[in-house]
């Protein structure tokens, strides 16, 4: 298989916070169009790992290559990678001083130098896809959590990224809003978007994931197809974790 | 309980109890809610009764509003001598600026007001361009008009400038320059680059640590020692630089307070969209941070406006200095009170307007994200 088939390669990645070894020997290769769900106990390094991919966190050893560009100290490379990689956060992180439409058009206009009219057209297309075009002139503070998260997804999509990273996109939401966000994510997955998703929504994992990755104490402990992963977990830690989240 | 479900309207709206509404209700609630409050209220009324009538009498009823000389003011039982202010009014406004050239600063002032009006019109589409024009081009127009020496305008040295005009020029320059410098310093102080960071820290801590009066004094006495003999660096320009240096350090700390209040997620969201450092600061972080610290910024502006009065120690005649000088005019001795009341009133009007404007701005910029 040629290198170009991988859109993300993490090779022997290590990271420390001070003397705390938070990521240990992470090896992960993601093919174009692959959908990966990452789970694991709290503090196991899931967020840290996916945040290394767009350099919100810096790794100290090993190599990360995104879409053929290696992540180095070079800020130009980092910005180039960030243009290709969208990210959705647990707490939405919409820009509260801008309207929904402005939230969506900001990056296309200022990063991609797109004319405003075109950016607005694209923004409306994605707002319709996440099913809230009528909210365009409101401010984030006037929307429900589920609506805000859908706007955040649309905001990332407006940059037409090649990869989407999700860091627990539904865990700050009330139960009745979780499904509206998951529906959008399922649709996105079905359209062939490459996705890395940290989530404990096992229904979502079973439905769309090509692979499920289990992390514990900074390491990737187990990696499998969802069916196998859930029905026949190999590792003791995985079994314990699965029994816990299925119990509640 | 026999019934657990009620139809809408089964409980009609009732009038609130009479004692909680209307004038009586308000009085009882606010002024006479208990015996201690009632006592304070009565005491307050007594003080007003004691001091307000004589004050009104002095300021308005028995005041001498205009007169070419002090004779009516010296009459038995005369109130405030506003005639003193009246006689000196143009000097209080313009200092020693030549009378026949008053039209020049007037034009500069009116031009500024005219340029600013469109900024407050909602539908005006060139706000950014006009704002840039006011900040970058207007100062030169104003300089040529007020200072002269170019385009055939007669030169008026800065030592002739004075009064309210000088106060406004000093504070406008101070305000307009200290905000951007303060922002840059605040960003620098939060920078991860050690050199940038330490330069900003040293700058801020140095200028915050010395009193403005020392800064002004040094700028007029010490600074010339460092320049070669004969270079004449304008005194007003030196005072301006001193004020800007000093106030930008304060501004930097106010802005830094705002930057610190912005959640990390905002920085991360901006970065993850591929925005560069300056773009994410300019488009995402600063608009939010500055909005948060509007009260602090305006507070600094107000302090700056009042601090300009300190230039009198280096021999510049701002509004307060020129009033003090008039107070010692042998023709009008003994009307210091009127002079200071007038100065106080002018300063209060400007400071209060700034404060009201800041409240209006805060409300306008509120986008309902704080719930
Ligand atoms: N800035 C930091 N400085 C020091 N330690 C940190 C920092 N951020 C995270 N950590 C530690 O690194 C470990 C991994 O954190 P991370 O956020 O990646 O966990 P996670 O798997 O995403 O957990 P959760 O499910 O709670 O989000 C945790 O033990 C955390 O305490
Ligand atoms: Mg996490």
């Amino acid at each position: 298989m040629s290198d170009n088939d991988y859109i993300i390669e993490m090779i022997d990645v290590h990271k420390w916070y001070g003397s705390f070894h938070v990521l240990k020997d992470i090896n992960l290769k993601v093919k174009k169009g692959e959908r990966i769900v990452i789970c694991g106990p709290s503090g196991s390094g899931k967020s840290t790992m996916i945040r290394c991919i767009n350099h919100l966190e810096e790794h100290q050893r090993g190599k990360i290559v995104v879409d053929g560009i290696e992540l180095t100290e070079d800020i130009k490379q980092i910005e180039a990678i960030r243009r290709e990689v969208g990210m959705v956060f647990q707490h939405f992180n919409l820009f509260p001083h801008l309207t929904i439409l402005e939230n969506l058009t900001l990056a296309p206009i200022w990063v991609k130098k797109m004319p405003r009219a075109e950016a607005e057209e694209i923004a409306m297309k994605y707002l319709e896809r996440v099913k809230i075009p009528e909210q365009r002139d409101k401010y984030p503070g006037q929307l429900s959590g589920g609506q805000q998260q859908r706007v955040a997804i649309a905001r990332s999509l407006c940059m037409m990224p090649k990869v989407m990273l999700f860091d627990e996109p539904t865990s700050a939401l009330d139960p009745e809003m979780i499904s509206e966000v998951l529906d959008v994510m399922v649709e996105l997955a079905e359209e062939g978007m490459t996705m890395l998703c940290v989530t404990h929504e096992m229904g979502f994992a079973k439905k769309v994931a090509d692979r499920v990755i289990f992390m514990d104490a900074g390491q990737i402990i187990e990696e499998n197809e969802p069916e196998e992963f859930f029905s026949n977990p190999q590792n003791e830690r995985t079994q314990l974790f699965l029994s816990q989240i299925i119990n509640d | 309980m026999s019934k657990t479900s009620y139809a809408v309207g089964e409980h009609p709206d009732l009038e609130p109890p009479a004692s909680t509404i209307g004038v009586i209700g308000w009085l009882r609630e606010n002024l006479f809610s208990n015996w201690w409050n009632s006592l304070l209220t009565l005491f307050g009324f007594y003080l007003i009764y004691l001091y307000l009538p004589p004050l009104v009498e002095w300021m308005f009823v028995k005041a001498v509003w205009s007169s070419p000389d002090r004779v009516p003011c010296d009459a038995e039982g005369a109130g405030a001598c506003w005639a003193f202010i009246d006689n000196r009014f143009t000097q209080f406004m313009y200092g020693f600026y030549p009378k026949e050239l008053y039209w020049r600063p007037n034009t500069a002032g009116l031009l500024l007001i005219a340029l600013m009006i469109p900024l407050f019109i909602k539908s005006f589409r060139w706000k950014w361009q006009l704002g840039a024009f006011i900040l970058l081009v207007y100062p030169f127009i104003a300089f040529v008009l007020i200072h002269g020496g170019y385009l055939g305008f007669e030169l008026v040295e800065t030592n002739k400038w004075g009064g309210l005009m000088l106060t406004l020029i000093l504070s406008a320059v101070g305000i307009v320059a200290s905000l951007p410098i303060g922002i840059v310093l605040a960003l620098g102080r939060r920078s991860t680059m050690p050199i940038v960071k330490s330069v900003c820290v040293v700058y801020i801590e140095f200028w915050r640590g010395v009193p403005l009066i020392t800064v002004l004094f040094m700028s007029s006495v010490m600074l010339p020692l460092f320049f070669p003999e004969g270079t004449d660096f304008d005194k007003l320009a030196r005072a301006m630089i001193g004020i800007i240096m000093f106030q930008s350090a304060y501004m930097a700390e106010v802005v830094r307070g705002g930057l610190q209040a912005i959640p990390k997620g905002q920085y991360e969201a901006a970065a993850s969209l591929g925005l560069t450092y300056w773009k994410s600061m300019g488009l995402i972080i600063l608009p939010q941070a500055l909005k948060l610290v509007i009260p602090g910024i305006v507070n600094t502006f107000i302090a700056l406006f009042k601090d300009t009065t300190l230039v009198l120690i280096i021999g510049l005649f701002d509004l307060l200095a020129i009033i003090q000088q008039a107070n010692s005019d042998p023709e009008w001795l003994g009307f210091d009170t009127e002079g200071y009341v007038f100065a106080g009133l002018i300063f209060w009007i400007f400071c209060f307007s700034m404060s009201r404007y800041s409240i209006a701005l805060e409300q306008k910029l509120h986008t309902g994200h704080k719930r």
Side-chain angles (χ1 to χ4, degrees), chain A residues 51 82 94-97 110 141, chain B residues 266 268 271 279 283 367 371:
Chain A
R51 287 155 60 88
R82 284 173 178 168
L94 293 177
F95 305 130
H97 62 303
W110 289 91
Chain B
Q266 292 289 310
E268 291 177 350
K279 279 177 189 163
L283 297 165
T367 55
R371 282 199 291 185

Side-chain angles (χ1 to χ4, degrees), chain A residues 51 54 56 79 82-83 85 87 89 93-98 106-107 110-111 113 139 141-143 155 159, chain B residues 264-277 279 283-285 287-288 291 366-369 371:
Chain A
R51 287 155 60 88
N54 64 354
L56 288 182
E79 279 160 10
R82 284 173 178 168
R83 283 195 291 272
V85 179
M87 183 155 201
F89 301 86
N93 297 351
L94 293 177
F95 305 130
H97 62 303
L98 301 176
L106 183 110
W110 289 91
V111 178
K113 311 273 185 299
Y139 286 95
Q142 297 164 321
L143 266 54
R155 177 176 69 178
M159 285 297 281
Chain B
K264 200 162 152 254
Q266 292 289 310
Y267 292 85
E268 291 177 350
S272 73
L273 287 168
L275 289 165
T276 61
Y277 173 81
K279 279 177 189 163
L283 297 165
I284 309 296
I285 307 301
Q288 295 183 60
K291 185 170 85 185
H366 182 64
T367 55
H369 63 282
R371 282 199 291 185

Side-chain angles (χ1 to χ4, degrees), chain A residues 31 141 175 180 209 222 230:
Chain A
K31 278 182 260 166
E180 67 186 50
E222 188 160 350
F230 290 112

Side-chain angles (χ1 to χ4, degrees), chain B residues 89-105:
Chain B
F89 189 75
T90 51
Q91 209 185 55
F92 289 173
M93 293 298 114
Y94 301 94
F96 307 109
Y97 206 89
K99 269 201 165 52
E100 66 282 3
L101 298 179
Y102 281 169
W103 67 270
R104 277 166 39 183

Side-chain angles (χ1 to χ4, degrees), chain B residues 24-334:
Chain B
I24 307 282
W26 186 87
L27 283 176
R28 185 177 294 174
E29 173 88 2
N30 292 292
L31 298 180
F32 298 101
S33 55
N34 57 37
W35 68 269
W36 171 241
N37 251 348
S38 311
L39 204 69
L40 277 182
T41 302
L42 289 176
F43 183 66
F45 280 143
Y46 176 68
L47 284 184
I48 291 173
Y49 163 78
L50 215 57
Y51 291 106
L52 191 65
L55 189 68
V56 170
E57 198 174 60
W58 181 80
M59 279 188 76
F60 301 105
V61 182
K62 292 191 173 163
V64 180
W65 293 94
S66 76
S67 151
D69 52 43
R70 58 180 296 156
V71 178
C73 297
D74 290 333
E76 186 71 39
C81 186
W82 302 127
F84 163 58
I85 309 289
D86 188 40
N87 272 288
R88 294 295 194 116
F89 189 75
T90 51
Q91 209 185 55
F92 289 173
M93 293 298 114
Y94 301 94
F96 307 109
Y97 206 89
K99 269 201 165 52
E100 66 282 3
L101 298 179
Y102 281 169
W103 67 270
R104 277 166 39 183
N106 288 347
T107 312
L110 289 175
L111 178 64
L112 181 61
I113 294 171
L115 283 171
M116 303 249 289
I117 288 172
L119 294 181
F120 295 92
I121 299 172
K122 243 200 159 99
S123 56
F124 184 71
R125 292 185 57 216
W126 309 100
K127 285 199 174 106
W128 276 103
Q129 289 84 340
L130 183 62
F133 181 84
I134 291 176
L135 286 179
L136 302 174
V137 181
Y138 172 80
F140 294 99
I141 300 177
F143 180 79
V144 169
L145 271 171
I146 299 174
H147 184 265
Y150 302 94
L151 306 176
F153 286 119
E154 190 186 325
L155 181 76
V156 183
E157 297 277 3
T158 55
N159 57 20
K160 296 217 177 69
W161 302 12
L164 182 62
M165 180 183 98
L166 184 73
T167 300
L168 291 178
I169 291 174
L170 275 172
S171 38
V173 170
I175 285 172
V176 168
S178 66
L179 184 59
I181 298 178
I183 290 173
V184 171
L185 286 169
L187 292 175
R189 191 167 184 165
R190 286 169 57 85
S191 166
T192 47
M193 290 178 273
I195 296 184
V196 174
K197 185 178 171 147
S198 25
V199 167
C200 292
V201 171
V202 168
Y203 179 100
I204 292 169
E205 296 306 336
F206 174 79
W207 289 103
R208 274 204 314 173
V210 279
L212 180 57
I213 207 151
T214 320
V215 175
L216 290 173
F217 201 67
M218 302 264 272
S219 77
S220 85
V221 180
M222 301 271 292
L223 211 58
L225 300 179
F226 297 109
F227 288 106
E229 196 78 35
T231 25
D232 186 29
F233 200 52
D234 190 85
K235 197 198 270 182
L236 177 62
R238 275 182 282 158
M240 275 179 183
I241 292 172
I243 289 177
I244 292 170
M245 297 280 200
F246 183 81
Q247 294 293 348
S248 52
Y250 276 89
M251 195 58 80
E253 288 299 279
V254 172
V255 174
R256 192 166 68 96
L259 291 174
Q260 250 153 8
I262 304 301
K264 200 162 152 254
Q266 292 289 310
Y267 292 85
E268 291 177 350
S272 73
L273 287 168
L275 289 165
T276 61
Y277 173 81
W278 287 108
K279 279 177 189 163
S280 58
M281 288 301 144
L283 297 165
I284 309 296
I285 307 301
L286 281 172
Q288 295 183 60
L290 293 180
K291 185 170 85 185
L292 276 178
V293 293
I294 288 172
I297 292 176
V298 174
N299 206 22
T300 311
F301 284 170
I302 288 176
L304 185 156
F305 186 72
K306 292 190 290 186
D307 279 353
T308 56
T309 53
L310 292 173
V311 297
L312 76 93
I313 67 136
I314 58 168
L316 290 173
F317 286 96
D318 78 307
L319 178 61
L320 191 65
I322 206 140
I323 287 176
Q324 278 192 345
Q325 198 233 16
N327 284 341
S328 59
D329 175 356
E331 299 257 318
W332 292 93
L333 274 184

